[in-house]
Amino acid sequence: MRTIVLGGDGFCGWPTALHLSVQGHDVLIIDNLSRRKIDIELGVESLTPIASIEERLMVWNHSSNHKINFQNIDIFSEYYSLLRVINDFQPDNIVHFAEQRAAPYSMKNSKTKRYTVDNNITSTHNLLTAIVESDLDIHLVHLGTMGVYGYSSVGMKIPEGYLNVKLDVPSKGLVDQKIIYPTNPGSTYHMTKSLDQIMFAFYAKNNGIRITDLHQGIVWGTQTPETRLDEKFINRFDYDGDYGTVLNRFIMQAAVNYPLTVHGTGGQTRAFIHITDTVKCISLACSNPPVNGKQVMIRNQVSETHRVRNLAELISNKTGVKIAYLENPRKEASENDLEVENNSFLSLGLEPTYLDEGIVEEVYEIAKKYSSRANLKYIPCVSKW
Ligand code: NAD
Ligand code: USQ
């Protein structure tokens, strides 16, 4: 299969590009390197020393039978370059990671809110129109988020995208309807993923584009079998208050003996997936496109759920680091349960990687190895809403 990976220089996109390449896909990465530029803007760096995309690919293309190409294109502002590459490359799949993905960054100020909406919405829409204009039968695989659902499961499992409801229609009685699960985003970033869903539903209905939307939980870990092959392939490890996500932050904080930054009571329950499962899910999604282009295929890309304070206790018990219960900088429920349906990937053969001592240990070892690169002043979450 021929696959374009949009955002293939990022935390999820880079290991996915390598994994698909090893699986036999002919891979082309498109990225505008905006994530690296945001690091410079914020004054932070990945905890792990990531090589430039050119170095990454030079070593990969030298050492592997599977070549990966790269094009530096901003899919927000360079529509015709995107269209030209799609027409030239003739992909079977386009995997779309290329969005601004940090909720705290999206909520910093009006500039970052507008950037997140402009970049994410226009980029996704450019991609959809480019697929239509190319007239090629391309399967679009998009990385969405569990956050589109909100996090309360009202006592039932959050289904995979759709809800079967009965409408009480006068004169007809109860009428069955299948609707998109009511969306309830908690940040400007999450809101862009809710808006993406509407664009996907329209283009699937109107143009018959085959679309898979993956509602992914919080990704943790850093390395995959492919990124371990060479130091130049090492994946990024975000730990700062904007881009670092909770479990990786706790593991990194333990490595530098920084009291674990639990927001509020830590009663928030969230869905998690290890990066090795992310790349496997993308491969499975590419191989199992929706048969009929009329309805978007939504899969929950989630291995397990955990409560934030339980994660903090687990890391604290293991390493002896203290826990700091901080005022929550976010507007979110202080306590919630969360049950999530994830049968879609299980039925395709995914064997989830569950949080266990060995895997936490591996991430901890990486964080320890590069701890001298950490700048502790960037740990606090300063974006408040
Ligand atoms: P990331 O920021 O590390 O990677 C995104 C990549 O897209 C970056 O390399 C960036 O330079 C590129 N990009 C952004 N805008 C672009 C544009 N206009 N044109 C070209 N390239 C552009 O993010 P990530 O953690 O790898 O997340 C990838 C996707 O997965 C995101 O859409 C995110 O919403 C989703 N996701 C991530 C997580 C997580 O925990 N990291 C969880 C659920 C969903
Ligand atoms: N939290 C802490 N302490 C911290 C950091 C976070 O208690 O130091 C709490 C937050 O308040 C929140 C929870 O942990 O309740 C998760 O926060 P997070 O930063 O780990 O994750 P989030 O902002 O939801 O975003 C991340 C990714 C995003 C993806 C989302 C999936 O950055 O791209 O879409 O996870 S999900 O959470 O399932 O919506």
Side-chain angles (χ1 to χ4, degrees):
M1 279 194 279
R2 298 172 67 72
T3 302
I4 295 180
V5 180
L6 301 174
D9 186 48
F11 169 60
C12 298
W14 170 244
T16 298
L18 299 187
H19 185 68
L20 294 180
S21 180
V22 165
Q23 300 278 303
H25 292 238
D26 192 351
V27 175
L28 169 68
I29 289 176
I30 292 181
D31 202 298
N32 67 350
L33 310 185
S34 53
R35 180 67 193 88
R36 293 179 189 251
K37 289 172 201 146
I38 291 174
D39 267 353
I40 295 167
E41 169 195 321
L42 297 173
V44 298
E45 270 190 292
S46 160
L47 186 66
T48 47
I50 50 172
S52 69
I53 185 74
E54 289 80 12
E55 282 175 288
R56 281 174 159 182
L57 290 180
M58 200 176 66
V59 179
W60 181 262
N61 289 339
H62 196 71
S63 58
S64 154
N65 298 326
H66 315 273
K67 304 274 176 274
I68 300 179
N69 286 309
F70 166 63
Q71 296 264 346
N72 186 333
I73 295 172
D74 180 355
I75 64 166
F76 161 72
S77 64
E78 298 179 292
Y79 175 76
Y80 287 102
S81 302
L82 173 66
L83 179 61
R84 176 183 44 76
V85 171
I86 290 175
N87 280 327
D88 290 350
F89 191 75
Q90 304 254 321
D92 301 293
N93 310 290
I94 298 184
V95 184
H96 177 25
F97 293 101
E99 296 183 81
Q100 192 300 101
R101 71 98 175 133
Y105 184 80
S106 79
M107 296 297 287
K108 273 179 117 59
N109 53 48
S110 60
K111 190 174 167 206
T112 62
K113 284 180 190 170
R114 286 185 296 112
Y115 166 68
T116 303
V117 170
D118 291 348
N119 186 62
N120 294 4
I121 301 305
T122 301
S123 295
T124 298
H125 190 254
N126 279 348
L127 175 59
L128 289 162
T129 48
I131 292 174
V132 173
E133 196 170 348
S134 75
D135 210 20
L136 296 166
D137 182 19
I138 297 169
H139 174 208
L140 168 59
V141 178
H142 170 254
L143 270 292
T145 175
M146 282 301 296
V148 296
Y149 300 117
Y151 304 105
S152 165
S153 55
V154 291
M156 68 173 240
K157 282 189 172 182
I158 290 184
E160 308 210 41
Y162 298 95
L163 196 58
N164 293 315
V165 294
K166 288 191 187 299
L167 298 181
D168 194 355
V169 180
S171 81
K172 284 192 179 168
L174 292 181
V175 175
D176 289 322
Q177 286 274 298
K178 187 174 182 180
I179 59 170
I180 289 187
Y181 193 91
T183 187
N184 183 16
S187 72
T188 301
Y189 153 72
H190 287 99
M191 182 187 77
T192 64
K193 297 287 182 176
S194 300
L195 295 169
D196 282 346
Q197 282 194 279
I198 297 171
M199 291 193 280
F200 294 144
F202 173 73
Y203 278 92
K205 180 183 72 171
N206 196 60
N207 301 90
I209 301 185
R210 291 177 299 134
I211 302 173
T212 298
D213 197 7
L214 302 171
H215 290 185
Q216 187 172 233
I218 301 169
V219 184
W220 71 285
T222 180
Q223 295 284 61
T224 62
E226 289 82 23
T227 64
R228 273 190 215 103
L229 291 172
D230 192 290
E231 187 74 16
K232 292 280 185 229
F233 306 151
I234 197 164
N235 199 13
R236 60 179 307 129
F237 191 130
D238 296 311
Y239 67 92
D240 62 281
D242 283 328
Y243 277 87
T245 53
V246 65
L247 181 50
N248 273 8
R249 270 166 65 78
F250 286 173
I251 297 174
M252 174 276 173
Q253 290 165 2
V256 296
N257 198 23
Y258 189 102
L260 306 181
T261 55
V262 172
H263 294 167
T265 62
Q268 309 91 315
T269 307
R270 293 290 182 272
F272 290 84
I273 181 165
H274 190 268
I275 186 74
T276 53
D277 283 356
T278 291
V279 304
K280 286 183 200 161
C281 287
I282 305 289
S283 173
L284 288 169
C286 288
S287 307
N288 294 278
V291 263
N292 125 18
K294 297 295 171 206
Q295 184 172 278
V296 176
M297 163 82 77
I298 300 178
R299 302 184 192 275
N300 289 344
Q301 193 162 307
V302 162
S303 299
E304 56 196 325
T305 60
H306 292 286
R307 204 173 282 276
V308 166
R309 66 168 164 265
N310 295 344
L311 293 175
E313 281 160 12
L314 184 136
I315 306 292
S316 172
N317 291 340
K318 191 173 157 43
T319 61
V321 67
K322 291 196 169 56
I323 300 178
Y325 290 91
L326 307 172
E327 191 186 330
N328 194 340
R330 305 184 185 198
K331 214 171 268 172
E332 61 185 2
S334 57
E335 304 270 329
N336 70 284
D337 293 323
L338 183 62
E339 286 182 68
V340 181
E341 186 60 71
N342 65 345
N343 197 44
S344 171
F345 276 118
L346 299 182
S347 66
L348 293 179
L350 179 75
E351 290 172 12
T353 307
Y354 295 113
L355 184 94
D356 80 17
E357 287 243 338
I359 303 166
V360 171
E361 186 66 41
E362 190 209 35
V363 184
Y364 181 75
E365 287 309 320
I366 292 168
K368 263 264 181 266
K369 180 170 176 192
Y370 296 108
S371 57
S372 64
R373 289 172 49 86
N375 187 335
L376 306 196
K377 88 171 182 203
Y378 293 113
I379 289 182
C381 289
V382 292
S383 179
K384 293 190 167 50
W385 69 93

